[in-house]
């Protein structure tokens, strides 16, 4: 959905109806609610022409008719310099809406759940994240590598950080024998301790563990906590 007037949040143009409409209220999004989200009951914006739209999950309702979700497609797409082959290796697919616009990326976890990140399209809009399925502390990408076959493992804060390092080493490394597993914390620096503790058995199979966290206060704190857990590695 594009803004008709960037100075106002109440007037929009819907790409599905091409009609100008005005936001007149908000209510809880049923799709977000089904996943335990939208606890503030205001994700679904109500417009004066009868349609409703959720900017968190992209649910779109025309009057009393809900958009058919079978029209969505899921593809391996290049994003932020990471090519489609790397996305395919990690099993991370992009959700495409009926207009052909990529709206979110799903990063699969080992237990079958997904960490989902929305793709911003408006100026100033920030990406949002949520979880589909039962969350289990751990590291994204652990199931793609085998301890022993890979002697080293790189752990990053973000999903795309791990994918970027994996791709860069695969394409540009001058050390072909150094092909580490590249994984990331499931919930960033804040959940570092639980993520690592939940993967200790697998991590013990690697000869060397390299932490690549952000150089900010949260990243440094997470690094120190993880180093204590991994003492001796």
């Amino acid at each position: 959905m594009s803004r008709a007037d960037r100075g106002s949040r109440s007037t929009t143009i819907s790409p599905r109806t091409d009609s100008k409409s005005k936001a007149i209220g908000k209510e809880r999004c049923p799709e977000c609610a089904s996943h335990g989200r939208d606890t503030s009951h205001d994700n679904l914006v109500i417009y004066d022409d009868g349609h409703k739209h959720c900017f968190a999950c992209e649910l779109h309702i025309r009057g009393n008719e809900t958009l058919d979700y079978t029209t969505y497609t899921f593809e391996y797409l290049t994003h932020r310099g990471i090519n489609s082959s790397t996305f395919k290796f990690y099993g991370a697919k992009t959700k495409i809406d009926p207009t052909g616009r990529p709206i979110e990326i799903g990063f699969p976890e080992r237990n079958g759940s997904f960490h989902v990140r929305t793709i911003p399209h408006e100026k100033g809009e920030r990406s949002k994240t949520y979880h589909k399925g039962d969350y289990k502390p751990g590291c994204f990408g652990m199931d793609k590598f085998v301890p022993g076959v890979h002697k080293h493992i790189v752990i990053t804060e973000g999903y795309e950080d791990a994918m970027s390092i994996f791709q860069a080493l695969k394409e540009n490394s001058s050390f072909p024998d150094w092909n580490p597993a590249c994984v990331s914390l499931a919930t960033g620096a804040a959940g570092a301790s639980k993520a690592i503790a939940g993967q200790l058995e697998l991590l013990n199979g690697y000869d060397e563990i390299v932490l690549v966290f952000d150089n900010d206060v949260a990243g440094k704190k997470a690094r120190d906590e993880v180093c204590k857990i991994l003492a001796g590695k």
Side-chain angles (χ1 to χ4, degrees), residues 89-110:
F89 174 80
Y90 281 92
K93 287 187 176 183
T94 300
K95 183 178 182 180
I96 312 297
D97 74 9
T99 68
R101 184 180 66 166
I103 58 174
E104 61 185 28
I105 302 174
F107 301 90
E109 305 290 358
R110 298 185 67 198

Side-chain angles (χ1 to χ4, degrees), residues 28-46:
R28 193 175 194 187
C29 171
E31 175 66 14
C32 290
S34 69
H35 297 286
R37 303 188 301 275
D38 192 12
T39 55
S40 59
H41 293 239
D42 61 1
N43 277 11
L44 194 66
V45 182
I46 306 169

Side-chain angles (χ1 to χ4, degrees), residues 8-205:
S8 171
R9 295 183 61 86
S10 62
T11 305
T12 61
I13 295 177
S14 168
R16 299 180 177 87
T17 62
D18 294 325
S19 63
K20 194 171 183 179
S21 57
K22 182 179 180 180
I24 58 174
K26 296 179 180 180
E27 62 184 37
R28 193 175 194 187
C29 171
E31 175 66 14
C32 290
S34 69
H35 297 286
R37 303 188 301 275
D38 192 12
T39 55
S40 59
H41 293 239
D42 61 1
N43 277 11
L44 194 66
V45 182
I46 306 169
Y47 294 87
D48 58 1
D49 63 358
H51 86 274
K52 303 176 183 180
H53 187 83
C54 176
F55 288 93
C57 72
E58 293 295 329
L59 174 69
H60 189 85
I61 301 175
R62 284 200 185 99
N64 294 321
E65 181 182 358
T66 302
L67 182 68
D68 182 5
Y69 270 82
T70 61
T71 58
Y72 284 105
T73 60
F74 296 84
E75 305 173 23
Y76 297 114
L77 297 182
T78 296
H79 180 67
R80 291 179 60 181
I82 304 172
N83 60 43
S84 58
S85 295
T86 299
F87 273 99
K88 186 173 183 179
F89 174 80
Y90 281 92
K93 287 187 176 183
T94 300
K95 183 178 182 180
I96 312 297
D97 74 9
T99 68
R101 184 180 66 166
I103 58 174
E104 61 185 28
I105 302 174
F107 301 90
E109 305 290 358
R110 298 185 67 198
N111 66 344
S113 64
F114 285 85
H115 176 89
V116 182
R117 178 177 299 147
T118 61
I119 300 176
H121 290 280
E122 299 292 338
K123 184 177 180 179
E125 182 183 4
R126 298 184 65 180
S127 178
K128 298 179 180 179
T129 60
Y130 62 93
H131 207 87
K132 284 186 176 181
D134 296 327
Y135 170 70
K136 182 178 180 181
C139 293
F140 164 70
M142 287 294 289
D143 57 323
K144 305 302 178 184
F145 305 95
V146 180
V149 175
H150 296 272
K151 296 183 179 181
H152 316 275
I153 185 169
V154 174
I155 305 175
T156 68
E157 274 194 41
Y159 291 70
E160 288 163 337
D161 294 334
M163 296 168 70
S164 295
I165 291 175
F166 170 81
Q167 180 176 299
L169 291 175
K170 184 177 180 181
E171 295 180 348
N172 307 307
S173 177
S174 57
F175 304 98
D177 294 331
W178 199 73
N179 59 335
C182 297
V183 305
S184 76
L185 302 173
T187 55
S193 296
K194 288 185 178 180
I196 298 302
Q199 306 279 224
L200 272 181
E201 185 176 349
L202 286 172
L203 291 173
N204 284 333

